[in-house]
Amino acid sequence: MGQGGNRNSNNLVVPRATGALEQMKFEVAQELGISIPQDGYQGNMTSYENGSIGGYITKRLVTLAEQQLAGQFSGQ
């Protein structure tokens, strides 16, 4: 693989979710008191900060999926 400016190798299953996930990242960071640089470069952030944001996003996504599944099986 060549080296590009963007090293993010995460491929979304639903590419349309990009904006919502980006918004969620900023919301979670704000809730945790972590500031993401305005230019979007997170290379100077600590592993703990990035890991905390990622962990909380995962928890939130799991909760959303569980709620959706619960709604499907409750006949609503």
Side-chain angles (χ1 to χ4, degrees):
M1 289 247 170
Q3 293 183 349
N6 184 359
R7 294 178 176 262
N8 186 352
S9 62
N10 295 334
N11 295 318
L12 298 179
V13 175
V14 182
R16 295 183 314 249
T18 301
L21 288 170
E22 195 68 14
Q23 179 65 31
M24 187 180 292
K25 177 175 74 173
F26 283 97
E27 289 174 7
V28 167
Q30 185 176 14
E31 289 171 17
L32 296 174
I34 300 170
S35 58
I36 297 176
Q38 290 297 319
D39 63 4
Y41 177 70
Q42 293 177 243
N44 294 326
M45 294 173 61
T46 67
S47 297
Y48 179 81
E49 290 171 329
N50 280 311
S52 295
I53 293 169
Y56 275 85
I57 288 173
T58 301
K59 286 179 186 178
R60 193 171 287 180
L61 291 173
V62 168
T63 300
L64 289 169
E66 287 175 345
Q67 290 171 346
Q68 185 176 8
L69 286 171
Q72 288 177 358
F73 290 106
S74 68
Q76 295 178 353

